[in-house]
Amino acid sequence: MARQIKLLLAAFALVLQCSCTQKATRPAHESEMQCRMDSIINHYCNANDTTFNPIKVAQLFGDYQRDLKALFRDGRVDGFDALLQGLRANDVVVNDTTFKHVSFNLINGTDEKPKITFNASYYCKADDVATDSVFQRLSGIGNLERVVFSGKVLEQGTLSAQINADNAFLIRYPTFHIIIDNIRTHAR
């Protein structure tokens, strides 16, 4: 009986210790800038959900654009993560030089709300396809595979949308255009 009580007390102490151990919360993304972007978008989505006045929604959308423009002030994103979707490649001829243009979407998830989309492009000379490291990495990535990417965000899409556009839709489904210069599969 004493042995059973000792085992019971030891088990109770172990359960108590495990339940009191705090686990460090892991950030949603490795990139601090991407965490800030998600925070901005979620803040304005939540505010939009409780605003039913079109004048207030237009003001909210103006503030939303201002905050995103401030975030992307230098236009550069590094270490963002997303799911790659819809990889396509075609040839583009510029001044008698043929380039491979690879286009795809980078999304935060298939069923995520708000749904954040980066319409991405990558260009390389067609003659360099066999030795271009980014092109080679892109050719090995599958649909809906998680990737980490870097590149230059262009002033298009959500960032330059007209105030009189469907503001609620653009807040909930922001689209950014980016020319990537680096991409790899996510090691998570």
Side-chain angles (χ1 to χ4, degrees):
M1 179 77 164
R3 185 171 182 210
Q4 290 175 339
I5 292 175
K6 285 181 182 178
L7 280 173
L8 186 59
L9 286 174
F12 179 71
L14 185 61
V15 168
L16 186 62
Q17 181 182 7
C18 289
S19 66
C20 291
T21 304
Q22 255 186 336
K23 293 183 181 176
T25 56
R26 184 183 151 135
H29 304 288
E30 292 175 13
S31 168
E32 183 181 320
M33 185 180 190
Q34 188 173 8
C35 290
R36 286 195 323 261
M37 181 189 75
D38 284 357
S39 177
I40 291 169
I41 292 170
N42 284 316
H43 167 74
Y44 285 104
C45 280
N46 292 336
N48 184 59
D49 288 345
T50 59
T51 304
F52 302 102
N53 179 327
I55 296 169
K56 290 244 186 227
V57 170
Q59 290 172 343
L60 189 70
F61 186 66
D63 294 343
Y64 169 74
Q65 285 187 297
R66 180 200 65 224
D67 289 352
L68 286 177
K69 282 182 181 178
L71 179 69
F72 293 125
R73 184 169 290 120
D74 68 355
R76 181 105 186 120
V77 297
D78 286 307
F80 274 39
D81 66 90
L83 296 176
L84 185 139
Q85 182 180 45
L87 190 68
R88 302 167 296 287
N90 60 332
D91 291 338
V92 176
V93 179
V94 178
N95 297 334
D96 296 327
T97 304
T98 303
F99 292 88
K100 281 288 185 191
H101 171 231
V102 183
S103 59
F104 48 94
N105 289 329
L106 296 161
I107 58 175
N108 60 326
T110 54
D111 295 325
E112 296 292 320
K113 298 276 189 300
K115 184 160 192 159
I116 303 167
T117 303
F118 283 89
N119 289 335
S121 292
Y122 179 72
Y123 295 90
C124 75
K125 287 186 178 179
D127 295 341
D128 298 337
V129 167
T131 58
D132 188 277
S133 62
V134 175
F135 188 87
Q136 291 303 312
R137 278 184 251 142
L138 281 166
S139 67
I141 297 173
N143 197 39
L144 296 179
E145 192 166 347
R146 186 154 292 280
V147 296
V148 175
F149 63 97
S150 299
K152 179 91 171 146
V153 175
L154 306 175
E155 284 265 340
Q156 295 179 26
T158 299
L159 293 177
S160 65
Q162 297 296 319
I163 293 294
N164 61 4
D166 184 0
N167 300 328
F169 179 80
L170 292 173
I171 290 173
R172 180 132 336 260
Y173 297 95
T175 300
F176 306 98
H177 299 274
I178 186 171
I179 303 293
I180 67 150
D181 55 32
N182 199 359
I183 193 165
R184 63 177 168 80
T185 55
H186 196 275
R188 198 185 286 189

